[in-house]
Amino acid sequence: MDLTIFIFNIIGTIAFSVSGATVAVKKRFDIFGIIVLGVTTAVGGGFIRDIVLGNVPPVALTNPIYTVFAIISAVLAALPAIRKRVGQNNKIFDRLMFFMDTIGLAAFTTTGVLTCFESGSHSLFVCLFVGVVTGGG
């Protein structure tokens, strides 16, 4: 199950990083702001999940692969060709945001529930709560 969680975490990290970075591009942030917003959006829910479950320090701090994927994804979203298209076309921006948010929400909600069950909690309410907080966080 660890491989499944890892794969979903990487998918969610990339999707939410692109989502956060795209918002930063639309707001005309510089590259540093784009990376910060991309990384924060990508790992924020996992931080909340890990703290709620008592897994400290959070996985994003003990395994930098998630932050690396988030940085790379944010930088790719900041490429000039992408900045130009996203910055000028609201239809592309809206579709990209919908697509990335949908993928990220599905991936992180799934990993939140799976991580909760793996941590030993067998309460359906707790695991669903952690899943929703992870996806929405």
Side-chain angles (χ1 to χ4, degrees):
M1 183 105 68
D2 287 337
L3 181 60
T4 303
I5 291 174
F6 177 75
I7 290 169
F8 278 116
N9 271 333
I10 293 298
I11 291 168
T13 298
I14 292 169
F16 273 159
S17 178
V18 169
S19 177
T22 303
V23 170
V25 166
K26 185 77 172 172
K27 300 284 185 183
R28 300 184 187 272
F29 284 22
D30 64 4
I31 188 66
F32 182 73
I34 293 169
I35 292 170
V36 168
L37 192 56
V39 171
T40 303
T41 306
V43 299
F47 264 76
I48 296 168
R49 175 201 63 216
D50 290 341
I51 291 169
V52 167
L53 293 176
N55 299 333
V56 288
V59 173
L61 295 179
T62 60
N63 189 353
I65 190 73
Y66 301 111
T67 304
V68 170
F69 269 96
I71 291 169
I72 291 169
S73 301
V75 168
L76 290 175
L79 291 175
I82 294 172
R83 286 182 80 133
K84 182 178 178 184
R85 285 197 168 199
V86 170
Q88 293 177 348
N89 192 330
N90 284 334
K91 189 179 248 184
I92 291 173
F93 174 78
D94 291 343
R95 285 184 181 165
L96 181 63
M97 291 302 295
F98 178 77
F99 182 71
M100 289 300 169
D101 282 345
T102 301
I103 290 173
L105 184 59
F108 280 154
T109 301
T110 302
T111 61
V113 171
L114 291 174
T115 302
C116 182
F117 277 119
E118 280 194 351
S119 74
S121 177
H122 297 292
S123 167
L124 183 60
F125 172 77
V126 171
C127 290
L128 290 176
F129 176 81
V130 169
V132 170
V133 168
T134 303

Short mmCIF file of all heavy atoms in Angstrom, two decimals, residues 6 9-10 43 57-69:
data_model
loop_
_atom_site.label_atom_id
_atom_site.label_comp_id
_atom_site.label_asym_id
_atom_site.label_seq_id
_atom_site.Cartn_x
_atom_site.Cartn_y
_atom_site.Cartn_z
N PHE A 6 2.38 6.56 -2.25
CA PHE A 6 3.45 7.36 -2.85
C PHE A 6 3.04 7.88 -4.23
O PHE A 6 3.21 9.06 -4.54
CB PHE A 6 4.74 6.55 -2.94
CG PHE A 6 5.86 7.28 -3.62
CD1 PHE A 6 6.55 8.29 -2.95
CD2 PHE A 6 6.21 6.99 -4.93
CE1 PHE A 6 7.57 8.99 -3.57
CE2 PHE A 6 7.24 7.68 -5.56
CZ PHE A 6 7.91 8.68 -4.89
N ASN A 9 0.39 10.49 -3.90
CA ASN A 9 0.99 11.72 -3.36
C ASN A 9 1.75 12.49 -4.44
O ASN A 9 1.68 13.72 -4.49
CB ASN A 9 1.92 11.40 -2.19
CG ASN A 9 1.21 11.39 -0.87
OD1 ASN A 9 0.20 12.06 -0.69
ND2 ASN A 9 1.72 10.62 0.06
N ILE A 10 2.49 11.79 -5.29
CA ILE A 10 3.23 12.47 -6.36
C ILE A 10 2.26 13.10 -7.36
O ILE A 10 2.43 14.26 -7.77
CB ILE A 10 4.20 11.49 -7.07
CG1 ILE A 10 5.32 11.05 -6.12
CG2 ILE A 10 4.78 12.10 -8.35
CD1 ILE A 10 6.21 12.18 -5.62
N VAL A 43 1.98 20.89 -0.73
CA VAL A 43 2.26 20.11 0.48
C VAL A 43 1.44 20.53 1.70
O VAL A 43 1.53 19.88 2.74
CB VAL A 43 3.78 20.14 0.83
CG1 VAL A 43 4.60 19.54 -0.29
CG2 VAL A 43 4.25 21.53 1.19
N PRO A 57 7.89 14.81 12.47
CA PRO A 57 7.59 15.89 11.54
C PRO A 57 6.84 15.37 10.32
O PRO A 57 6.90 14.18 9.99
CB PRO A 57 8.97 16.41 11.14
CG PRO A 57 9.91 15.28 11.37
CD PRO A 57 9.32 14.47 12.50
N PRO A 58 6.10 16.26 9.63
CA PRO A 58 5.33 15.84 8.45
C PRO A 58 6.20 15.21 7.38
O PRO A 58 7.40 15.51 7.26
CB PRO A 58 4.72 17.15 7.94
CG PRO A 58 4.67 18.03 9.15
CD PRO A 58 5.89 17.67 9.95
N VAL A 59 5.60 14.33 6.59
CA VAL A 59 6.31 13.59 5.55
C VAL A 59 7.03 14.53 4.58
O VAL A 59 8.14 14.24 4.13
CB VAL A 59 5.35 12.65 4.79
CG1 VAL A 59 6.02 12.01 3.60
CG2 VAL A 59 4.81 11.59 5.73
N ALA A 60 6.41 15.66 4.27
CA ALA A 60 7.03 16.61 3.33
C ALA A 60 8.37 17.13 3.83
O ALA A 60 9.22 17.53 3.04
CB ALA A 60 6.09 17.78 3.05
N LEU A 61 8.59 17.10 5.15
CA LEU A 61 9.87 17.55 5.70
C LEU A 61 10.87 16.41 5.83
O LEU A 61 12.07 16.64 5.82
CB LEU A 61 9.65 18.20 7.07
CG LEU A 61 8.84 19.49 7.07
CD1 LEU A 61 8.67 20.01 8.49
CD2 LEU A 61 9.47 20.55 6.18
N THR A 62 10.37 15.19 5.98
CA THR A 62 11.28 14.06 6.14
C THR A 62 11.64 13.41 4.80
O THR A 62 12.63 12.71 4.70
CB THR A 62 10.68 12.99 7.06
OG1 THR A 62 9.45 12.53 6.51
CG2 THR A 62 10.46 13.54 8.46
N ASN A 63 10.82 13.66 3.78
CA ASN A 63 11.08 13.11 2.46
C ASN A 63 10.97 14.25 1.43
O ASN A 63 9.87 14.57 0.98
CB ASN A 63 10.08 11.99 2.13
CG ASN A 63 10.44 11.25 0.87
OD1 ASN A 63 11.36 11.63 0.15
ND2 ASN A 63 9.71 10.19 0.59
N PRO A 64 12.09 14.87 1.09
CA PRO A 64 12.04 16.07 0.25
C PRO A 64 11.60 15.82 -1.19
O PRO A 64 11.45 16.77 -1.94
CB PRO A 64 13.48 16.59 0.30
CG PRO A 64 14.31 15.41 0.64
CD PRO A 64 13.44 14.53 1.50
N ILE A 65 11.34 14.58 -1.57
CA ILE A 65 10.94 14.30 -2.94
C ILE A 65 9.66 15.05 -3.31
O ILE A 65 9.51 15.51 -4.44
CB ILE A 65 10.79 12.77 -3.19
CG1 ILE A 65 10.63 12.48 -4.68
CG2 ILE A 65 9.62 12.20 -2.43
CD1 ILE A 65 11.88 12.64 -5.46
N TYR A 66 8.75 15.22 -2.36
CA TYR A 66 7.50 15.93 -2.64
C TYR A 66 7.76 17.40 -2.92
O TYR A 66 7.18 17.98 -3.84
CB TYR A 66 6.51 15.76 -1.48
CG TYR A 66 6.19 14.31 -1.22
CD1 TYR A 66 6.62 13.67 -0.06
CD2 TYR A 66 5.48 13.55 -2.15
CE1 TYR A 66 6.35 12.34 0.17
CE2 TYR A 66 5.20 12.21 -1.93
CZ TYR A 66 5.64 11.62 -0.77
OH TYR A 66 5.37 10.29 -0.55
N THR A 67 8.63 17.99 -2.15
CA THR A 67 8.98 19.40 -2.37
C THR A 67 9.72 19.57 -3.69
O THR A 67 9.49 20.53 -4.42
CB THR A 67 9.81 19.94 -1.19
OG1 THR A 67 9.07 19.73 0.01
CG2 THR A 67 10.10 21.41 -1.35
N VAL A 68 10.58 18.63 -4.02
CA VAL A 68 11.32 18.69 -5.30
C VAL A 68 10.33 18.62 -6.47
O VAL A 68 10.42 19.42 -7.41
CB VAL A 68 12.37 17.56 -5.38
CG1 VAL A 68 12.94 17.45 -6.78
CG2 VAL A 68 13.47 17.78 -4.36
N PHE A 69 9.39 17.68 -6.42
CA PHE A 69 8.38 17.59 -7.48
C PHE A 69 7.55 18.87 -7.55
O PHE A 69 7.21 19.34 -8.64
CB PHE A 69 7.46 16.38 -7.27
CG PHE A 69 7.95 15.13 -7.94
CD1 PHE A 69 8.68 14.20 -7.24
CD2 PHE A 69 7.66 14.89 -9.28
CE1 PHE A 69 9.13 13.04 -7.86
CE2 PHE A 69 8.09 13.74 -9.91
CZ PHE A 69 8.84 12.80 -9.20
#
